[in-house]
Amino acid sequence: MPKYNVYTKIESNVPASDLFYDLNVYKTDANNKKHVLLSVTQQLIDPGYYTQPHDTNETGDDLSVIYIIEINLYRKHGGKLISVLSSPAKKMYTLGEIASGKAYSKNKRENVCYFETKAQTKPVSDNGNDNIHSVQITCLERAFIAKKYPIGSADDPFDKRKIESQLASRINHSSYPNQGDTSLCGPASFFYCLLVDRPDIYKQAVNELWLYGKTKIGALNIGPGSGCRHPTGTFYDAYGERIKGIDWITLASLRDSDNSILSYDEIDDQASGITLWGGLTEWFVSAGYEKEFSNVGLSHVNLKDLSILNEYIKNGCRVVTLISAGMLDGFDSAITAKNHWIVWDGPIKTQHGEIISLATNENELVQLQLFSWGKVKNQVKSNLALSDVMRSVFGGVVFKPLK
């Protein structure tokens, strides 16, 4: 298996001879197992503010596989190395980008930065007070600010502590992406699969969107417009949150990035949140998923179509299907239009637990473990026959899990 040569770049005004770094390159799989490609400590930055070139461990990964680059930076002071970052800086790149020397950004702010002021504070005289010092500090505005709930508001949905708490809940799988009152079921399906397959990428994407208002997952660029980053309308009703801040940051951002005309800037804007299967497929493929099969379309499926999707889910693939939400608990059965994306969490079975096949009677009542609206469980109505399910499913798109 091949090894690769890795280096990245930092931005600083401190002499390079006084700067040292730790560099880790790794990925975390669906079982939360960490795979380390490279790990070095307290290395000297070269005069051009690049890290040293380092050989990775051997890997059989495809060049499209995404890794996290993590850097801790030290400054030499009085013969000691002092850590100058509050926490290690992280950025994600594909193995291909890492191997070809593209593991840093042309935008200086997106790289690891450490600057020291060259100015000296001086006492100024003000009505006889000679010990008054004036210091001006500037920083970038936070990327997401809800117009109705500004920074400092108790109901600010994008408060850092709220996002961190919600993210921790996602990483330990006590909660999942939830579109709430929006029409963002397509983005929710994508981010659910991403969370299950590569929780480290999901976490990094959330952090980058919150910090910078943009992120890149493989070749998938997510950069919402100003309207999406400063949404109008209410995030709460009598029952609580209509959508969590973490889900607006991810789901709405993905949808808005793909909208060339309409801006997705309000929860009640249903039209701008709709996802067609071409767009959904493009998101998955751009992020690095490999498409295996598709039978999604304008017409509902037959038993053979469902049996094919069952075979893919049994083989560990991600099966994302377009359905009528009327087949799910809590929705009017009279709703027959194709209006909702779900992700299968297992094959379609009869109520007795038998996996359906071409020989299954279409009058059999069925069940399906699936992801929808932040829940992973059987959500098919208990009185729904196989024939009803076929009329409510309009095919699906199948992908191999993201490596």
Side-chain angles (χ1 to χ4, degrees):
M1 293 187 291
K3 294 183 177 181
Y4 298 97
N5 196 254
V6 175
Y7 65 90
T8 186
K9 187 180 182 182
I10 72 152
E11 304 288 342
S12 182
N13 63 347
V14 175
S17 58
D18 290 335
L19 294 174
F20 293 76
Y21 64 91
D22 299 337
L23 176 61
N24 296 290
V25 183
Y26 61 89
K27 66 176 184 177
T28 305
D29 63 23
N31 297 316
N32 207 32
K33 181 179 179 181
K34 192 173 184 178
H35 301 265
V36 178
L37 190 65
L38 172 68
S39 181
V40 295
T41 59
Q42 296 187 355
Q43 303 290 303
L44 179 64
I45 291 284
D46 86 355
Y49 293 94
Y50 290 90
T51 65
Q52 304 294 326
H54 300 285
D55 287 334
T56 68
N57 298 325
E58 291 183 346
T59 178
D61 279 344
D62 186 85
L63 293 178
S64 64
V65 173
I66 298 171
Y67 277 85
I68 306 294
I69 289 184
E70 179 183 275
I71 298 177
N72 200 13
L73 198 61
Y74 303 88
R75 204 249 200 248
K76 186 167 66 176
H77 184 74
K80 296 182 180 180
L81 295 183
I82 309 298
S83 178
V84 296
L85 302 179
S86 58
S87 61
K90 298 179 183 180
K91 193 74 175 176
M92 55 184 169
Y93 296 95
T94 65
L95 182 56
E97 290 171 326
I98 293 171
S100 60
K102 298 178 180 177
Y104 62 92
S105 175
K106 294 180 180 179
N107 184 340
K108 183 172 69 175
R109 288 184 179 274
E110 295 179 3
N111 298 314
V112 180
C113 295
Y114 174 66
F115 292 91
E116 295 179 352
T117 180
K118 301 299 183 181
Q120 295 182 352
T121 57
K122 297 179 180 179
V124 295
S125 180
D126 185 6
N127 296 326
N129 296 322
D130 291 334
N131 59 348
I132 297 176
H133 298 262
S134 177
V135 178
Q136 182 177 4
I137 299 175
T138 61
C139 63
L140 291 175
E141 181 185 70
R142 200 179 75 190
F144 286 82
I145 302 174
K147 291 186 176 180
K148 194 171 182 179
Y149 315 98
I151 294 174
S153 167
D155 291 327
D156 176 5
F158 307 122
D159 176 78
K160 183 178 181 181
R161 290 167 296 182
K162 290 182 181 178
I163 299 299
E164 289 175 341
S165 175
Q166 293 164 9
L167 182 54
S169 176
R170 296 293 163 80
I171 297 302
N172 66 27
H173 295 312
S174 59
S175 73
Y176 295 100
N178 190 342
Q179 72 192 74
D181 286 350
T182 73
S183 55
L184 296 169
C185 53
S189 297
F190 170 80
F191 275 104
Y192 167 74
C193 292
L194 187 67
L195 174 62
V196 170
D197 291 332
R198 289 291 305 273
D200 55 342
I201 296 177
Y202 178 88
K203 181 178 181 179
Q204 185 67 16
V206 170
N207 287 332
E208 289 184 9
L209 282 166
W210 189 87
L211 281 169
Y212 310 117
K214 63 179 181 178
T215 189
K216 182 183 179 187
I217 305 172
L220 178 62
N221 285 294
I222 304 177
S226 178
C228 183
R229 289 183 283 108
H230 300 84
T232 59
T234 176
F235 272 67
Y236 303 89
D237 59 19
Y239 303 98
E241 295 169 309
R242 300 179 65 199
I243 185 172
K244 292 186 180 297
I246 192 172
D247 291 319
W248 183 269
I249 285 175
T250 50
L251 312 188
S253 291
L254 177 57
R255 177 65 271 171
D256 189 66
S257 299
D258 212 28
N259 285 350
S260 58
I261 300 176
L262 300 175
S263 174
Y264 195 83
D265 57 6
E266 187 176 0
I267 292 174
D268 294 318
D269 184 358
Q270 298 294 312
S272 297
I274 294 172
T275 301
L276 301 179
W277 55 85
L280 180 136
T281 302
E282 181 63 27
W283 293 340
F284 276 86
V285 173
S286 295
Y289 280 89
E290 184 178 341
K291 178 183 169 184
E292 280 281 273
F293 174 79
S294 176
N295 60 5
V296 65
L298 298 176
S299 302
H300 61 74
V301 298
N302 55 35
L303 186 52
K304 181 180 178 181
D305 294 326
L306 282 187
S307 298
I308 291 172
L309 295 177
N310 254 6
E311 287 302 312
Y312 278 111
I313 196 71
K314 285 161 56 179
N315 290 329
C317 291
R318 302 288 172 235
V319 177
V320 188
T321 54
L322 180 62
I323 68 167
S324 164
M327 67 180 275
L328 304 179
D329 283 331
F331 292 88
D332 188 349
S333 298
I335 299 174
T336 58
K338 53 182 83 65
N339 60 358
H340 189 52
W341 289 100
I342 63 171
V343 182
W344 294 20
D345 192 52
I348 295 182
K349 300 179 180 180
T350 68
Q351 294 284 38
H352 305 295
E354 299 171 348
I355 297 177
I356 67 160
S357 68
L358 293 176
T360 304
N361 189 309
E362 294 185 7
N363 292 321
E364 285 272 9
L365 300 182
V366 295
Q367 57 182 319
L368 173 63
Q369 289 281 123
L370 61 92
F371 161 78
S372 177
W373 267 286
K375 298 178 181 178
V376 182
K377 63 178 184 176
N378 173 40
Q379 299 185 51
V380 175
K381 285 183 168 66
S382 60
N383 62 345
L384 218 60
L386 178 56
S387 58
D388 299 318
V389 170
M390 287 191 293
R391 284 192 291 269
S392 299
V393 176
F394 298 87
V397 190
V398 178
F399 306 93
K400 289 183 178 180
L402 188 63
K403 295 181 180 179

